[in-house]
Amino acid sequence: MIDGKKTMLSGMQSTGMITLGNYLGALKNWVNLADEEDIKCFYGIMDLHSITVRQDPTELKKNARRLMLLYIAAGLDPEKNCLFFQSHVPAHPQLAWILNCFTYMGEMNRMTQFKDKSAKHADNINTGLFTYPVLMAADILLYQADLVPVGKDQMQHLEITRDIATRFNGIYGDVFTIPDAYIGKSGARVMSLQDPEKKMSKSDENPNASIFLLDDKDTIMRKFKRAVTDSEGMIAYRDEQPGVRNLIDIYNAVTGHTVEETLKEFEGQGYGTLKEAVGEAVATELAPLQARYAELEKDKEFVNRVMKENAEQASYYANKTLRKVMKKVGFIEMPR
Ligand code: TYM
């Protein structure tokens, strides 16, 4: 809670180009939730998290700025929502350090994202990658977030955040709000178009596996056309047909249809028809976002102003929590 209002915080790493998975699992829900008057929303561009994997400095800058534009282009109004860069608010790594001292090695060892990423980047298993979830806990707890809208893959990080906050509150009293995850009804786990047993990811080496938010219509249609399905030849929603199920999930997340409605719509049709319909629906959904993005790209001043004002706002709230934490732990306050 902040100023008597329910508070929401979420964010994305600023690496590469975000995918349809990021959009349907997170960004689209943020936009829907942001329309609710009584919620104070914070959305971070989590650039500090990005460097747990080696980044090219020029690319990192480009990706972070582009992500800010995509947040706005998707419909997050920066006058109503606080959109900020994590690296502009030093309270994040400051609180993360303190929380590190309240987190156990065994807890971090269990994190599946750490296991996956260290397998993928075996030559760079750094301690930042290991303590990544603690920085994420700091992101959330600094804003006293009640709700954290994320895709299913972030659930484990949310649970550890709750554990750390509960532990800290148990020692020092009610310092942190214990956050709940908000997972959308559909789109919570969008799968790769080339391997539907794997989640769609921006770092997938096969470019046909993911739809990127700025892909043009032809590319979107082509990728869906090539999507891996099966040889059953029947449109059904079941575990044995993960490729088809993923297409139905994507279609429903975009159109708002239910599984029953979609199965009825495509009854007796072939996979080609379904793929084309999903491609059309996705391209139609992304077209206004892409047009707005192109406009924003030209307006450097507006984006710079948003960055500055929102970083100040985020810092104000984050520092308030950090001061409270530091006092509780027993650090001497700097004389004013
Ligand atoms: P990141 O950058 O990997 O993903 C951003 C958001 O997109 C969701 N997502 C998906 N949802 C459905 N299907 C998919 N295939 C898919 N891929 C990604 C993620 O669940 C996430 O909601 N650690 C976070 C970033 C972060 C954060 C935070 C999130 C840092 N601090 C504080 C919430 C609160 C991450 O790596 O997300």
Side-chain angles (χ1 to χ4, degrees), residues 191-329:
M191 309 309 280
S192 152
L193 298 184
Q194 290 298 312
D195 177 0
E197 305 281 358
K198 234 173 59 180
K199 76 165 182 174
M200 185 181 284
S201 158
K202 53 189 155 190
S203 56
D204 202 306
E205 272 149 29
N206 183 345
N208 288 322
S210 313
I211 302 288
F212 298 107
L213 244 55
L214 295 179
D215 277 351
D216 61 23
K217 184 168 178 184
D218 285 350
T219 309
I220 294 173
M221 298 304 286
R222 195 187 64 240
K223 287 183 180 176
F224 277 112
K225 209 168 164 185
R226 290 189 186 162
V228 168
T229 47
D230 52 65
S231 52
E232 302 270 336
M234 172 185 73
I235 297 177
Y237 191 80
R238 54 197 199 114
D239 289 351
E240 293 78 8
Q241 292 179 260
V244 174
R245 192 182 50 192
N246 189 35
L247 291 174
I248 295 175
D249 278 335
I250 294 173
Y251 189 67
N252 291 348
V254 172
T255 59
H257 294 177
T258 62
V259 173
E260 290 70 33
E261 285 166 346
T262 301
L263 288 178
K264 197 149 182 238
E265 185 180 344
F266 294 100
E267 206 177 329
Q269 315 252 20
Y271 292 163
T273 313
L274 175 65
K275 288 176 175 181
E276 198 167 319
V278 182
E280 281 286 348
V282 169
T284 307
E285 169 88 9
L286 296 183
L289 179 156
Q290 295 178 349
R292 177 105 180 91
Y293 177 87
E295 273 171 36
L296 285 167
E297 238 188 341
K298 293 183 219 144
D299 200 347
K300 236 180 170 161
E301 251 171 58
F302 167 69
V303 179
N304 286 347
R305 182 169 59 78
V306 166
M307 265 191 225
K308 184 170 182 298
E309 288 177 2
N310 285 354
E312 284 165 2
Q313 200 193 132
S315 298
Y316 169 78
Y317 290 111
N319 287 334
K320 228 169 147 174
T321 302
L322 183 66
R323 275 199 303 273
K324 193 168 165 189
V325 168
M326 293 184 75
K327 211 167 157 185
K328 291 277 185 185
V329 174

Side-chain angles (χ1 to χ4, degrees), residues 12-13 21-22 46 49 132 136 139 150-151 153-154 188 190 200:
M12 293 189 189
Q13 289 191 67
N22 297 125
M46 303 307 186
H49 276 111
Y132 178 114
M136 182 160 160
D139 299 338
V150 283
D153 62 319
Q154 293 300 315
V190 177
M200 185 181 284

Side-chain angles (χ1 to χ4, degrees), residues 19-133:
T19 69
L20 188 63
N22 297 125
Y23 177 74
L24 296 178
L27 191 48
K28 192 173 158 72
N29 290 329
W30 302 355
V31 175
N32 292 339
L33 289 164
D35 283 342
E36 291 184 24
E37 283 294 311
D38 283 341
I39 306 188
K40 175 90 192 141
C41 300
F42 296 88
Y43 294 111
I45 288 141
M46 303 307 186
D47 48 3
L48 296 175
H49 276 111
S50 301
I51 65 162
T52 51
V53 171
R54 197 75 70 227
Q55 302 291 329
D56 172 77
T58 314
E59 280 298 303
L60 181 62
K61 253 188 216 159
K62 202 172 92 189
N63 289 333
R65 196 179 169 91
R66 189 173 58 196
L67 191 52
M68 169 67 96
L69 299 193
L70 286 170
Y71 280 6
I72 303 172
L76 292 176
D77 179 351
E79 307 290 340
K80 282 204 223 145
N81 303 281
C82 184
L83 313 180
F84 66 97
F85 289 88
Q86 188 186 30
S87 63
H88 289 173
V89 186
H92 288 241
Q94 282 177 286
L95 180 62
W97 171 255
I98 296 174
L99 297 181
N100 264 320
C101 304
F102 293 85
T103 307
Y104 298 110
M105 299 284 284
E107 289 175 313
M108 296 293 95
N109 264 327
R110 285 204 318 268
M111 297 290 115
T112 49
Q113 185 167 308
F114 172 67
K115 288 185 203 160
D116 291 350
K117 285 209 173 171
S118 35
K120 212 165 165 185
H121 303 279
D123 56 338
N124 182 21
I125 307 176
N126 58 73
T127 50
L129 198 58
F130 189 64
T131 58
Y132 178 114

